[in-house]
Amino acid sequence: MPHTVSVEDLERLRPNLRSLVTEKARTLRDFRFCDLRIQVREEKWASAEDGASKASGEDVAFDFGVRVIVQRKMSAAGFFGQVLGSSDLERIESVVWRGIQQAYQRAISNALKKAHTKRMYPGLGDSLDDAYLARVPVAEDSVPATFEIDPRGVPLEEVLQMAVAGSSAAQSRGSDIVFTSASTSTYLLRELFLNSEGADIDQSFAQTEGFIFVISGSQYGNFELYDSTGHQRGWEIMTRGYRNGPIDLPDYVGFCGRLGRDAADVAAAPPLRPPDREVPVVTDPHFNTLLVHEVVGHPSELDRALKYETAYAGRSWFLKSLNDNQLGRQIASPLVTAFSDPLMDGYGSFRYDHEGTPGRRAYIIRDGVLEEFLNNRQTSAIMGVSPNGSARATEAHLAPLIRMTNTVFAAGERDPKDIISEVDSGYYIAGHRTPSIAESRENFRITAVKVYEIENGQLGRLYRDGGITADTRNYFQSIDAVGNDLQVNPIPNCGKGQPMQAKRMSNGGPTMRGIARLTGPG
């Protein structure tokens, strides 16, 4: 029987792969730099609908990606990535070497084309920079996965039965629930990072997650609701949940039951008829999870801000140009602080990013002032700042992009109950559903799961199909209260890139109060 690739195989491949990157690649003419990412992921998954099993499976993913930088008239990078199979295991050195040669040829071509463009179009060509990388510590490290129940040891039937149980739990919470769909997965991932500077980093991660989708009907029409739970741990996440500081994840069946109840309750509520003016709004931590993701995390990613993504993903109002930007300016109330931190406990945690840069906390907004962008080694060199470890790829064969990690609004000092009690007339916005964000993220519309009236400091009637819309800066500057109830939630499906890469991370925040317009159905 042929050998199936496992995470343990990377250990014996490591010495020869290191020599390819640190020695053999240096024999290429005009060579400046090379890095290699190679990973193995062993995964099990299952899905269910309406309390019945639908599908299940297990698989192994094995792939690698390389980057080569050359100096040929100008400096430029070339990338190459490949999905591998078990037959590639015994000839991995020759496969990776061919990949390095492919990346090298692309780098040469890019360098010559950059030089030609700079010569032919002096005005536009002056915007082309050499591919310089900011210096980072050369790390040699091994980071083990954290788990109690190894994902590889969980019987596939148990993964399937958990999905069935979650679907059934959601379905049982209301007679008007017409459809449920659940999925569960757990995997162990190991990745090696090697570069020609001498970096040699071995990181492993356990990841377990569950998803639930519910449709509930009522006289007001169907209401759809979905959410995910998960963490960088083993199968114990599904059986008993996880609690640590601002992270409070119930067991999977309880999570699905709670969402089913919310879907049934909100479906039966009347649609919101929003007032035609701005009103005080109190947003809960779950709503602020999506808000910080869309209007702080994404516009702070420096590849977006430098317009590398403009054609297919938009720009950032934080930075119109290197000379016209919001750095050092007051863009929010002094009560607002937001940061991205891969070292805090969360779904986007890691010690080193996919360029081998040590992760650290990056304060995007501190006391209302825009302080820092999320960067990689190349964009940090352009800005003349230190790298903060934000380059990551979904799979090793894809090029790393600048991605937010565990990105949250920081906690304040106020009791959430007091924040609500001080509102004579307004609305409480709970849970998030769908974002609609401007191309530069300078304004937003985000729908909520629940909208409650606030009258004389008390929560009143529940509404469905509501949300808020606002100019981002104006809304941030209107924040006049921030709660002490920071909550951090998993986000498993942040999309970015071309081709699309879906990345996991955590987002969150505390209760906050500001001024915005409400939106209704349609």
Side-chain angles (χ1 to χ4, degrees), residues 270-337:
L272 176 69
R273 302 302 177 197
D276 60 357
R277 65 189 187 281
E278 292 185 331
V279 294
V281 294
V282 178
T283 54
D284 85 329
H286 195 265
F287 182 88
N288 291 328
T289 292
L290 186 57
L291 182 66
V292 75
H293 180 102
E294 297 290 357
V295 299
V296 176
H298 276 311
S300 72
E301 294 164 344
L302 194 50
D303 52 359
R304 175 189 293 271
L306 291 174
K307 303 175 179 60
Y308 293 179
E309 293 197 303
T310 299
Y312 53 89
R315 299 171 290 123
S316 168
W317 71 276
F318 289 169
L319 191 144
K320 291 184 178 179
S321 71
L322 294 179
N323 298 317
D324 182 8
N325 57 71
Q326 303 299 316
L327 279 168
R329 297 183 180 180
Q330 194 84 31
I331 65 169
S333 158
L335 298 175
V336 176
T337 291

Side-chain angles (χ1 to χ4, degrees), residues 91 122 162 221 230 232 244 248 270 280 283 327 364 373-374 445 462:
R91 54 190 184 96
M162 184 66 75
Q232 289 184 341
N244 183 28
D248 187 2
T283 54
L327 279 168
I364 301 166
F373 286 91
L374 305 178
R445 172 178 174 165
L462 169 66

